[in-house]
Amino acid sequence: MKKIPMRKCVATQEQCPKKELLRIVKTPQGTVEVDLTGKLNGRGAYLKRDAAALELAIKRQSLKRALECEIPEEVYDKIREVLGE
């Protein structure tokens, strides 16, 4: 049986299969992007594909802490777009 890669959501702290999560990356250039391929270089943080998890991340500044940088508002807008809100 193939092992399923698990990752922890930075907002809810729960372990989920990697493909159920959204990866947000701080690139070596210092920009923050939503990584839909899961293959971008840089420091990644995973977020549950769920509006409540996103709001929690914003409130607790989970992404800022995980990526060790300020998160521009456009990044949150892009995540909302991806989540289909």
Side-chain angles (χ1 to χ4, degrees):
M1 195 178 104
K2 208 171 131 214
K3 197 168 161 295
I4 299 168
M6 301 291 275
R7 296 292 180 270
K8 187 189 271 190
C9 169
V10 292
T12 63
Q13 301 300 315
E14 55 189 310
Q15 292 275 358
C16 301
K18 196 167 142 183
K19 61 175 177 285
E20 287 177 18
L21 299 167
L22 192 59
R23 184 169 184 252
I24 291 82
V25 177
K26 177 178 149 191
T27 64
Q29 293 77 36
T31 60
V32 178
E33 296 182 34
V34 178
D35 181 8
L36 298 173
T37 62
K39 292 183 173 55
L40 280 178
N41 280 335
R43 185 178 174 89
Y46 291 88
L47 195 60
K48 215 169 158 194
R49 289 177 178 263
D50 172 278
L54 175 61
E55 294 313 315
L56 200 60
I58 294 171
K59 200 171 91 192
R60 291 186 180 160
Q61 299 196 322
S62 312
L63 284 174
K64 178 181 170 182
R65 214 177 1 241
L67 298 176
E68 300 166 348
C69 69
E70 290 298 323
I71 310 295
E73 192 53 47
E74 305 86 82
V75 173
Y76 291 125
D77 293 340
K78 178 97 171 93
I79 295 170
R80 285 187 189 100
E81 218 174 275
V82 172
L83 294 177
E85 290 189 355

